[in-house]
Amino acid sequence: MPASPAVEIVGLVKRYDGRAVVDGLDLVADRGAVTAVLGPNGAGKTTTVECCEGLRSPDAGQVRVLGLDPTADARTLRPRVGVMLQDGGLPTGVRALEMLHHVAAMYARPRDVGELADRLGLDGFARTTVRRLSGGQRQRLALAAAVVGRPELVFLDEPSAGMDPQARRAVWDLVRELRDDGVAVVLTTHLMDEAESLADRVVVVDHGTVIAHGAVADLLTSHDDRTLRFSATPGLDVADLAAALTAPGGGGEPGGPAGAAPAGPAAVVAGAPEPAVREVAPGDYVLTGPVDPDVLAALTAWCAARGVLPHRITVGRRTLEDVFLDLTGRDLR
Amino acid sequence: MSAATQARPGDGVAAPAWRRVLTQTAFETRAILRNGEQLLITLVLPVLLLLVLTRTTVIELDTGGGTRVDLVAPGVLALAVMSTAFTSQAIATSFDRRNGVLRLLATTPLGRGGLLAGKVLGVLVVEVVQVVVLGAVALGLGWDPAVAGIGPAALAVLLGTAAFTSLALLLAGTLRAEAVLALANLVLVLLAVAGGIVAPADQLPGPLSVVAGALPSGALGEAVRSALRDGVLATGPVLVLAAWTAALSGLAARLFRWS
């Protein structure tokens, strides 16, 4: 019985008006793990999740949820799968806690509503109508509704959008606790820090297909690279800078030490091995690749020769954002 | 803190179907009765209309020898049914659809079927409240309904509810919420004035008298009046209502979109 993964998607295709929003997507989410589906807006995250929830039918490909078909076995799956929609889906005229009690009444053995309200800080607005709640308050209520029935699997679409830091922490704690109880959590997000701190596995989606997937740690270390960020006057010649950084031997010959493109153990990432410099926003530069003292010296020398004062220079480990940048060549947000 | 986590995966079990539907029915009923605008069109306006049409002669009606209240009360009851089954339901469902409520509840054990059942039963419960309130006011005004017509009247109300709920879902499931809000109120006013529901179709001017009789509003008004004034089942209007129900529910089933 527990042999099948929580979610198994093979070659999913979904078209709207002939345009493929999801285009040959594969995804596996394990039980007792948090799987983050990460990608920019319009990447196909929500559509993918809605196909798993039985709200949309795929145009091609196979979707299995807890080993079952989301459409044909919907009746069996509904009590076992919790759903938090991106737009909340809460009726606006009822009071917050009344809504939660209502959803709880659909289950034979729901969680204790009072305890859940306490956990997610719903008591402060228990008697407020949904219409008057802030975005973050609605999100917490929707999350409570998704888990009140003790599901084996929960889909959370952008769970912490619009939340203040404390609320987000409460949400993250609850998600971790669900995971520790053996619940499979599939969440979509475009927030890097959320995916990085919450997910066991990350699936990076863009243009309806998976462009990278793996454990977060593997994705981040699949290139033994660091990131250097700095600010300066906008419009620097980044190609010339990159060439200058490579030339003086600041971090090995172009092409990398031993073999080309090293593939991580569980991670599949196609990246650029040599130093690359990008102006991610006017005046904000990101250098990815091998960063060592020589590279830093070369950078400041290059700037000094042009009378440019770089500031806010930071050297750090790669973030998921850097990975995404490498993969797509553009900023996620 | 230790008791905070009793959640075990695999404990997700649905409540029995009857409890899910009853819960949803109560939820839908409260939503209608608590909403100011909904209450206005489902109860306040029908009561006012009943009082004005019975106690004043602002609008001339041919009572055919009977009392004004005996003519007016059945028509106002029919109007009340239309306001709940059509206008109120169309507006509520269209906003539920826009806000994603239909999608969210469809993913709970309630499902789409349970949601629909809850909505229809909610309409019927509100109609019972309307019949009690309007009936009491009408009796206070001297209404003398034909007891033999209660069965036929109930049948007419059920058929009318089916037809108008189908129309409500057809609009709510295909148009934008703002458009439904405007259209549902406009249609209610037009049918109330010229649809043969309060004033009998044959008393309307010119070609309206013919058209109104074939409308679901005219048929419902006529069927309820025949039942509660004369104690008979009006076959013609009942057939008209059945035809509208078949057509509108078929269209709604084919065209309704959940998101």
Side-chain angles (χ1 to χ4, degrees), chain A residues 148-166:
Chain A
V148 75
R150 302 182 193 275
E152 289 163 66
L153 164 66
V154 281
F155 289 103
L156 310 176
D157 203 351
E158 308 265 349
S160 62
M163 282 188 191
D164 58 39
Q166 294 96 312

Side-chain angles (χ1 to χ4, degrees), chain B residues 103-184:
Chain B
R103 288 159 65 234
L104 181 70
L105 288 176
T107 68
T108 71
L110 182 66
R112 289 175 175 175
L115 178 58
L116 210 55
K119 280 190 174 296
V120 171
L121 288 176
V123 166
L124 292 175
V125 172
V126 173
E127 287 176 359
V128 168
V129 174
Q130 290 175 309
V131 168
V132 168
V133 172
L134 288 169
V137 173
L139 288 174
L141 293 168
W143 183 34
D144 181 22
V147 177
I150 289 177
L155 176 70
V157 164
L158 279 179
L159 266 178
T161 301
F164 279 112
T165 304
S166 302
L167 181 59
L169 294 179
L170 180 60
L171 292 189
T174 53
L175 301 177
R176 280 183 22 248
E178 290 75 11
V180 173
L181 180 64
L183 203 58

Side-chain angles (χ1 to χ4, degrees), chain A residues 89-103 105-106 130, chain B residues 19-35 96 101 105 110 115 118-119 121-123 125-126:
Chain A
L90 305 167
T92 53
V94 298
R95 299 178 199 282
L97 228 48
E98 182 185 2
M99 174 61 198
L100 189 53
H101 277 291
H102 178 61
V103 175
M106 299 298 165
V130 170
Chain B
R19 209 178 86 196
R20 303 196 300 260
V21 170
L22 280 191
T23 302
Q24 188 63 27
T25 302
F27 190 78
E28 298 280 347
T29 306
R30 282 201 306 273
I32 296 174
L33 294 181
R34 197 190 276 161
N35 182 308
D96 278 355
V101 178
L105 288 176
L110 182 66
L115 178 58
K119 280 190 174 296
L121 288 176
V123 166
V125 172
V126 173

Side-chain angles (χ1 to χ4, degrees), chain A residues 14 26 82 92 181 195 213 225 229 232 235 258 283 286 318 328 331:
Chain A
K14 182 67 190 176
D26 304 319
T92 53
D181 280 343
H213 64 88
D225 287 353
R229 293 170 179 272
V286 176
R318 284 161 57 94
T328 65
D331 212 351

Side-chain angles (χ1 to χ4, degrees), chain A residues 20-287:
Chain A
V21 175
V22 178
D23 197 1
L25 183 139
D26 304 319
L27 185 153
V28 174
D30 291 321
R31 295 168 190 253
V34 178
T35 305
V37 182
L38 184 71
N41 293 328
K45 305 188 298 289
T46 296
T47 301
T48 301
V49 167
E50 286 181 341
C51 287
C52 299
E53 293 161 352
L55 290 172
R56 298 189 187 281
S57 344
D59 290 322
Q62 243 214 347
V63 178
R64 306 297 284 180
V65 171
L66 300 173
L68 299 169
D69 183 316
T71 312
D73 305 314
R75 187 187 294 269
T76 317
L77 282 174
R78 282 196 294 258
R80 297 169 61 189
V81 178
V83 171
M84 174 184 179
L85 298 175
Q86 195 172 20
D87 51 14
L90 305 167
T92 53
V94 298
R95 299 178 199 282
L97 228 48
E98 182 185 2
M99 174 61 198
L100 189 53
H101 277 291
H102 178 61
V103 175
M106 299 298 165
Y107 298 89
R109 292 192 295 273
R111 281 178 77 138
D112 183 61
V113 168
E115 175 261 325
L116 201 51
D118 189 42
R119 282 293 308 273
L120 289 170
L122 309 183
D123 293 316
F125 51 87
R127 294 185 55 75
T128 309
T129 51
V130 170
R131 185 180 291 115
R132 298 179 192 283
L133 298 182
S134 74
Q137 290 171 332
R138 285 187 197 201
Q139 292 286 98
R140 275 183 277 163
L141 180 59
L143 173 63
V147 303
V148 75
R150 302 182 193 275
E152 289 163 66
L153 164 66
V154 281
F155 289 103
L156 310 176
D157 203 351
E158 308 265 349
S160 62
M163 282 188 191
D164 58 39
Q166 294 96 312
R168 178 173 300 176
R169 189 148 297 279
V171 168
W172 288 5
D173 285 346
L174 181 68
V175 167
R176 291 194 185 103
E177 183 189 290
L178 288 168
R179 187 250 328 263
D180 294 343
D181 280 343
V183 176
V185 181
V186 176
L187 60 91
T188 71
T189 185
H190 60 270
L191 302 176
M192 289 297 173
D193 58 338
E194 183 158 272
E196 228 175 298
S197 63
L198 206 52
D200 301 297
R201 280 172 49 82
V202 173
V203 177
V204 184
V205 175
D206 196 26
H207 299 301
T209 50
V210 174
I211 54 175
H213 64 88
V216 177
D218 291 338
L219 278 179
L220 295 180
T221 57
S222 58
H223 302 286
D224 191 18
D225 287 353
R226 290 173 180 274
T227 297
L228 190 156
R229 293 170 179 272
F230 68 98
S231 301
T233 44
L236 295 181
D237 186 348
V238 290
D240 186 54
L241 173 57
L245 297 179
T246 317
E253 292 297 305
V268 185
V269 176
E274 69 263 15
V277 184
R278 290 190 186 90
E279 187 172 7
V280 293
D284 287 337
Y285 299 89
V286 176
L287 188 160

Side-chain angles (χ1 to χ4, degrees), chain B residues 217-252:
Chain B
S217 53
L220 175 61
E222 198 49 47
V224 177
R225 265 188 298 275
S226 304
L228 295 178
R229 278 177 99 195
D230 312 321
V232 298
L233 180 68
T235 328
V238 163
L239 287 179
V240 170
L241 277 181
W244 276 106
T245 302
L248 291 171
S249 62
L251 273 178

